[in-house]
Amino acid sequence: MDTLRRFLLPIALLLGALVLLSIWFAGITPDRHELGFALDDAWIHMTYARNLLSYPFLAFNPGIPATGATSPLWVFSLAIIHFLFAGQSVTTLIKAVLIWGGILQLMAIVLVWDITKQLTQQTKVAFVAALLMAFCTGLSGAAITGMEVALTSVMLLATLSCWLRRWWLLAGLMLALAAITRPEAAMTWLVYAGIICFSCYAAQTWRARLWVLAKFTFFSFAIGIIWFTYNYVVSRHFLPATFYLKQVSSLSEIPYRLYRGIFVITFIPPFAFGSGLLMFLGYIRAKPIIVSKLTYLLPLLLGVSYLLTVNYVLPPGVYSFYCTRYIMPPLSLLTIASTIGGYELSRQFCHGKLSLLWVFLGVSLLTALVSIYPISEGLHEEISLLNHIQVKMSRWLAKHAPANTWVGGSDVGALGYFSKHNVVDIIGLNTPDFVWHHQTFIRQHPVSAFTLLVPLWYKLPQDSAAKRIVILKSMSVSKTLVPRYTDKHYQQLVLSCNGPKGKPELLHLAKNTTTDFVFDFSIYCIPWQHDKYYNN
């Protein structure tokens, strides 16, 4: 039996690796097989990472400090990959990033095992938790998208693992790193601080507890001061631009956003059909053997606090990966909580046997198997969409747009990485002065062309100014490449202004009031001779 137990964690890791490989390969077809990233935001991180090798600060456009990177630690890790594979092809860099994401997901499985073992002292329960983490296809799929989800999970878990061992300084460092991977992680400090101050887990006397809190907070305070100072010096705002440009307009929106977040979780194993959430009921009459009940509750409290915080900046459309990635990181903590809850329910109603926990595992395995193909299909559709629209269009601009000019766009990741031009982000996340100091910024940064990803039915405004706008190139989404987008018929437009080369002209794209799809912005455009480039 002891020999078998030594192989339980490797078995969980092997299954985790198989899930990762299955999610990558299951959805590949002859038309959708190339390497790439599922989100344009991944290319934003790649752009910051590449520039970090040349400048001692975060920069989206070379040499210009910016605060659009909400995940500096992920950018730093990508910069290391760029350094290690300097001179290699983009394909090699993509492979390295995807492998790194897979490694992080396997590290998360190890940490889930470790934390569950510390809290329950039960190897079998830790094995179940590790398997549930391996079967969490949502997290596995997110790990191979080029985004920071897996790194955030690892940092959150590493913080808890160190905290349970009373390694206060190291736990504080892990939490600080988690916060510069996803800023929402910073709010979990309140949970840790509350338990340190109001329980006997850390120390017996108030003086000793405050000393523990000081050690736990040291790195968070130090790194936070550096981060806030950098943001303020660059933008005169203490937080990244995304916080201000995506936050809710009213606190009354948060309850509905929280409801949608929980609703989405019920589609992700091991929480599919609400089974994982039902396991939380085991905490009601839980009787932990090793730790206090408050410490026992930590994974649940941390996961819920993160979920509550992320709803402040969660965009309205929560059903695409672009938005669900925000609620993915706490799933690792909630997986531990579900396992412990199932373990407690089994102790209470199954005479100490783990029958209910094994049933929960079986349901999670079945839902994971069912979910692999749809997740893989969606992943490769998103990669195909990005490669055949944004990446291809950005390479076209690199070839045709006048040198030493700026270009603009609404999706600027691939544009920044491939166009070989400085980029104006018309959403404002990477060039926030486009929103905050609009008139001054657009005068100082005229563009030779700008791109918009719009529905096929979208028509340019028919006012006198808009008549000077010309479509240099348009590309629509292929039904073969991305079947589930055919009802939306997206197209990428490259727009510029007509006329001989000369003084920049002010153009305005007004709202299309007949639909919910709106662009409303002004921009100065540099006329240039581009007749020969139309749709070439």
Side-chain angles (χ1 to χ4, degrees):
M1 183 60 70
D2 291 338
T3 302
L4 178 61
R5 287 183 178 182
R6 288 201 296 268
F7 290 100
L8 293 181
L9 180 57
I11 288 171
L13 289 172
L14 177 61
L15 291 173
L18 289 174
V19 170
L20 285 165
L21 292 172
S22 298
I23 289 176
W24 180 258
F25 287 105
I28 290 179
T29 69
D31 299 303
R32 300 192 306 267
H33 60 273
E34 67 254 59
L35 287 169
F37 298 132
L39 286 180
D40 186 66
D41 290 38
W43 289 113
I44 292 178
H45 289 129
M46 292 285 281
T47 303
Y48 276 100
R50 183 178 61 185
N51 289 335
L52 190 60
L53 295 184
S54 302
Y55 306 97
F57 48 77
L58 293 170
F60 181 73
N61 292 303
I64 304 174
T67 65
T70 54
S71 182
L73 187 63
W74 182 242
V75 170
F76 295 152
S77 71
L78 296 182
I80 293 172
I81 290 175
H82 276 78
F83 175 78
L84 294 175
F85 295 95
Q88 299 294 315
S89 66
V90 174
T91 298
T92 300
L93 289 171
I94 293 172
K95 289 179 181 178
V97 172
L98 297 180
I99 292 171
W100 172 228
I103 291 172
L104 287 168
Q105 174 64 7
L106 297 179
M107 290 172 61
I109 293 173
V110 174
L111 287 166
V112 164
W113 165 287
D114 173 69
I115 292 167
T116 309
K117 183 73 177 294
Q118 288 191 67
L119 290 172
T120 66
Q121 294 297 306
Q122 297 290 320
T123 301
K124 289 182 180 180
V125 178
F127 178 55
V128 171
L131 289 178
L132 290 172
M133 186 64 184
F135 297 152
C136 188
T137 49
L139 278 174
S140 296
I144 51 177
T145 59
M147 297 302 294
E148 74 279 6
V149 176
L151 181 59
T152 309
S153 290
V154 167
M155 291 296 103
L156 290 170
L157 294 168
T159 302
L160 180 53
S161 178
C162 293
W163 194 90
L164 291 172
R165 288 181 166 86
R166 294 181 171 85
W167 298 345
W168 309 121
L169 275 173
L170 187 56
L173 176 60
M174 293 298 105
L175 180 57
L177 294 178
I180 60 170
T181 309
R182 280 304 312 169
E184 296 85 3
M187 293 304 293
T188 61
W189 179 88
L190 294 175
V191 177
Y192 286 114
I195 294 180
I196 289 173
C197 292
F198 299 107
S199 79
C200 298
Y201 182 80
Q204 296 294 324
T205 66
W206 267 101
R207 183 175 181 179
R209 292 176 191 177
L210 291 176
W211 175 238
V212 168
L213 183 62
K215 290 193 289 185
F216 178 68
T217 306
F218 173 76
F219 283 111
S220 294
F221 183 80
I223 293 177
I225 289 295
I226 295 171
W227 184 227
F228 292 149
T229 301
Y230 171 80
N231 287 323
Y232 188 79
V233 168
V234 171
S235 67
R236 293 298 183 266
H237 292 78
F238 286 108
L239 297 172
T242 301
F243 179 87
Y244 301 98
L245 297 170
K246 283 187 176 181
Q247 68 184 33
V248 294
S249 56
S250 170
L251 292 177
S252 64
E253 296 178 31
I254 291 181
Y256 178 59
R257 288 185 172 208
L258 179 60
Y259 157 74
R260 287 184 308 177
I262 294 174
F263 180 73
V264 170
I265 287 175
T266 60
F267 288 90
I268 304 171
F271 305 96
F273 306 112
S275 58
L277 301 180
L278 288 174
M279 295 299 105
F280 295 156
L281 295 175
Y283 276 107
I284 296 176
R285 297 174 57 189
K287 296 179 180 179
I289 300 172
I290 304 300
V291 297
S292 69
K293 189 167 184 178
L294 195 57
T295 303
Y296 215 43
L297 278 167
L298 253 180
L300 180 60
L301 295 175
L302 294 170
V304 171
S305 68
Y306 189 106
L307 195 59
L308 285 170
T309 306
V310 79
N311 279 275
Y312 188 72
V313 293
L314 188 66
V318 75
Y319 300 106
S320 65
F321 176 69
Y322 175 80
C323 302
T324 57
R325 64 190 168 104
Y326 290 101
I327 62 175
M328 290 287 184
L331 295 188
S332 54
L333 293 165
L334 294 177
T335 295
I336 297 172
S338 290
T339 305
I340 293 175
Y343 167 58
E344 289 297 329
L345 287 174
S346 295
R347 288 176 63 193
Q348 296 162 25
F349 299 105
C350 301
H351 307 290
K353 297 181 180 180
L354 301 182
S355 306
L356 189 58
L357 194 58
W358 292 118
V359 170
F360 175 39
L361 177 63
V363 171
S364 300
L365 172 60
L366 290 175
T367 54
L369 291 174
V370 171
S371 68
I372 284 176
Y373 180 76
I375 290 175
S376 180
E377 182 184 41
L379 174 66
H380 287 286
E381 285 182 357
E382 296 286 357
I383 291 172
S384 296
L385 175 66
L386 195 57
N387 285 349
H388 289 263
I389 301 295
Q390 277 108 313
V391 172
K392 190 173 182 180
M393 192 69 75
S394 299
R395 292 183 185 274
W396 185 90
L397 278 170
K399 182 179 178 181
H400 295 301
N404 302 316
T405 61
W406 287 64
V407 296
S410 54
D411 294 284
V412 298
L415 202 60
Y417 201 83
F418 293 103
S419 73
K420 300 180 181 179
H421 288 73
N422 281 1
V423 177
V424 172
D425 183 351
I426 65 174
I427 305 299
L429 302 182
N430 298 286
T431 54
D433 283 346
F434 182 85
V435 175
W436 293 337
H437 308 289
H438 183 67
Q439 292 300 322
T440 301
F441 183 86
I442 62 175
R443 288 193 193 96
Q444 295 175 350
H445 302 87
V447 301
S448 58
F450 54 99
T451 69
L452 296 177
L453 183 64
V454 299
L456 195 61
W457 45 257
Y458 180 78
K459 302 297 182 183
L460 292 174
Q462 296 302 308
D463 57 36
S464 57
K467 291 178 181 177
R468 300 196 300 273
I469 300 176
V470 297
I471 299 176
L472 296 182
K473 190 171 181 65
S474 64
M475 298 178 64
S476 59
V477 177
S478 163
K479 182 184 293 187
T480 304
L481 284 174
V482 193
R484 64 194 177 98
Y485 277 102
T486 54
D487 61 327
K488 302 177 183 178
H489 297 292
Y490 282 106
Q491 62 177 333
Q492 179 89 29
L493 303 179
V494 177
L495 307 175
S496 187
C497 52
N498 200 9
K501 185 177 180 180
K503 184 178 179 181
E505 299 185 43
L506 179 62
L507 302 178
H508 180 67
L509 267 70
K511 292 182 179 179
N512 187 329
T513 57
T514 61
T515 70
D516 294 331
F517 191 85
V518 294
F519 277 111
D520 191 357
F521 66 92
S522 300
I523 199 164
Y524 278 89
C525 185
I526 304 171
W528 52 286
Q529 191 64 39
H530 41 53
D531 292 347
K532 63 181 179 178
Y533 296 136
Y534 286 179
N535 279 309
N536 291 330

